[in-house]
Amino acid sequence: MALIEVNFDGIVGPTHNYAGLSLGNLAAAQNAGAPSHPRAAALQGIAKMRANLRLGLAQGILLPHRRPNREWLATLGTEPATAGQLWSAASSASVMWAANAATVSPAPDTADGRCHLTVANLVTMPHRSHEWPETLRQLQLAFAHPGFAVHGAVPPPFGDEGAANHMRLCERHEAAGVEVFVYGVGGGAFPARQHRVASEAVARRHGVTALFAQQSPAAIAAGAFHNDVVAVANEHVLLTHEQAFADPARLYAALRARLPGVEIIEVPASAVSLADAVASYLFNAQLVTLPGSGGMALILPSEAQTHARVWRWLEALAAGNGPIRRLVPVDVRESMANGGGPACLRLRVVCDPATVDPRFLADEAKLGLIAAAVSAHWPERVDAAAHAALGDWPAAEAARRALLAALDLLELA
């Protein structure tokens, strides 16, 4: 079985909007109430996937959920027309950030030799807490092959935010790796979203011997609400901010003991501050291995290129003799304005693509079908002032259904 890394990107849904629902996400708070552009947002994500295909990377997709979520509102005794403030939470398109869909442990790491996925419960934020049942349904469909084990969510109150707080390091994707679960400790102005109890539960379910590292309280306070805002790993490389972890020396020593060939690239705070890292999202990048002997590339938001101190440091990194040789800026500005960069938009799964439901795998032709559906049905602009008046939002549901029909996935309707 040929194991490779496949990036499954979330397609931005037609209800994409800026409601400022995510406490601790500075971009979401700063842009609350601004008009959003769902069509442009989805097309930007599709363009990123196309660029990844041109780099020779394997690409998958995850689908938008039905919004507003009337079933969730019904459990709260209301409906879209009368939901008030709950309407925004029921209409969020935040499922686009597939890094929060699940935690993934590839087959080489697990006790039973299967690829394990545990859907994230996302209980800390109300607008995301109702995502997991539909996400679970999609994962069970996409990964129905017996080589996968798909698990339901860890029960509340133990918050689990999925792959955004999980890293895997290995010599090669298909080799056994070291999994690192990053958790937070509460007490600051912003909530710590990943609980250690949840991380430990996922590791036990998956049958992996993992490392557990505490996220730095300073990073959370600076707006790094997930670890992937301050650190990213790929194969044997860890690219991390100096202040990402509460006890970096201990983590680095444990990594070197488990994976002697690990390369740790620590970005000093004197060169790039936490504020710089959060503003540019340089760590919320896809660190990928290029086919052949191309080394590694860092697929970055274009905001990193326009931030002088950040780009200067990155250019020096790429010009050096290290493993990261190429910088690839991409335009995902609509996602970035809500606090999600290239890494937020994708879930990494190391697997044999032949074992995945092919409807969830993407090529140029399929991305063309998706782009056509988006161009025909996604709204061009959503104004915050008129947002709640949309109620059931039938146009958004019709748009999603058109996409599902184009992909032969109407069982998800």
Side-chain angles (χ1 to χ4, degrees):
M1 192 163 59
L3 301 182
I4 63 171
E5 181 178 86
V6 184
N7 286 277
F8 289 83
D9 277 41
I11 298 170
V12 181
T15 65
H16 166 62
N17 68 91
Y18 301 127
L21 298 173
S22 188
L23 180 63
N25 182 330
L26 300 186
Q30 290 165 359
N31 291 296
S36 65
H37 303 87
R39 187 184 305 167
L43 292 175
Q44 287 167 7
I46 293 165
K48 178 177 84 74
M49 288 189 268
R50 281 181 162 145
N52 285 354
L53 287 176
R54 290 194 291 270
L55 289 173
L57 304 175
Q59 185 66 56
I61 56 170
L62 292 173
L63 287 306
H65 295 184
R66 187 171 69 176
R67 294 292 180 264
N69 187 341
R70 293 193 294 271
E71 290 79 7
W72 182 67
L73 289 175
T75 66
L76 295 167
T78 188
E79 58 186 15
T82 57
Q85 292 183 340
L86 289 172
W87 190 90
S88 291
S91 302
S92 172
S94 54
V95 71
M96 63 197 264
W97 293 306
N100 303 120
T103 303
V104 184
S105 294
D109 300 355
T110 66
D112 65 2
R114 294 187 293 167
C115 178
H116 285 252
L117 302 92
T118 290
V119 67
N121 62 31
L122 300 167
V123 296
T124 306
M125 295 292 154
H127 69 290
R128 305 212 63 180
S129 65
H130 56 96
E131 292 178 6
W132 75 264
E134 172 61 20
T135 300
L136 177 62
R137 187 181 175 204
Q138 288 196 35
L139 296 180
Q140 288 172 331
L141 185 60
F143 304 110
H145 187 277
F148 297 97
V150 180
H151 305 274
V154 173
F158 309 112
D160 177 25
E161 302 266 323
N165 290 309
H166 173 264
M167 301 182 295
R168 178 178 187 256
L169 292 111
C170 53
E171 288 298 332
R172 304 173 313 281
H173 287 309
E174 69 271 20
V178 181
E179 300 196 15
V180 181
F181 291 78
V182 182
Y183 63 93
V185 174
F190 301 137
R193 302 190 185 186
Q194 185 72 30
H195 293 191
R196 178 163 182 153
V197 171
S199 295
E200 291 171 339
V202 173
R204 287 192 296 268
R205 286 177 169 188
H206 293 191
V208 297
T209 303
L211 300 177
F212 299 92
Q214 182 185 335
Q215 189 175 10
S216 162
I220 297 174
F225 52 99
H226 292 135
N227 175 66
D228 66 2
V229 179
V230 284
V232 60
N234 179 62
E235 293 193 325
H236 66 288
V237 175
L238 170 61
L239 175 65
T240 178
H241 192 273
E242 179 184 11
Q243 295 173 285
F245 305 106
D247 191 349
R250 183 177 180 181
L251 173 61
Y252 300 165
L255 281 173
R256 291 181 176 118
R258 293 275 300 273
L259 188 67
V262 67
E263 287 194 56
I264 299 171
I265 303 171
E266 188 179 77
V267 183
S270 58
V272 176
S273 68
L274 279 173
D276 291 337
V278 172
S280 66
Y281 265 33
L282 82 96
F283 296 98
N284 196 251
Q286 291 180 250
L287 182 56
V288 297
T289 303
L290 298 173
S293 57
M296 294 188 188
L298 201 59
I299 301 168
L300 298 138
S302 55
E303 284 80 355
Q305 193 172 23
T306 59
H307 196 298
R309 286 188 300 275
V310 168
W311 195 248
R312 186 163 53 245
W313 193 91
L314 286 168
E315 285 188 312
L317 172 71
N321 198 33
I324 301 174
R325 303 294 179 86
R326 187 170 175 184
L327 307 176
V328 184
V330 295
D331 177 7
V332 287
R333 291 176 186 174
E334 282 287 320
S335 177
M336 284 286 290
N338 239 347
C344 284
L345 287 162
R346 62 90 175 96
L347 180 69
R348 308 166 80 167
V349 183
V350 172
C351 63
D352 178 356
T355 62
V356 178
D357 186 317
R359 294 175 294 177
F360 290 86
L361 297 174
D363 56 17
E364 286 282 0
K366 185 169 291 183
L367 292 180
L369 286 175
I370 296 168
V374 166
S375 296
H377 300 285
W378 263 232
E380 184 176 354
R381 176 185 170 112
V382 173
D383 289 300
H387 199 205
L390 292 167
D392 275 330
W393 208 338
E397 187 164 337
R400 175 178 175 270
R401 188 176 182 86
L403 174 63
L404 296 178
L407 298 175
D408 191 26
L409 280 164
L410 278 173
E411 64 258 55
L412 294 175

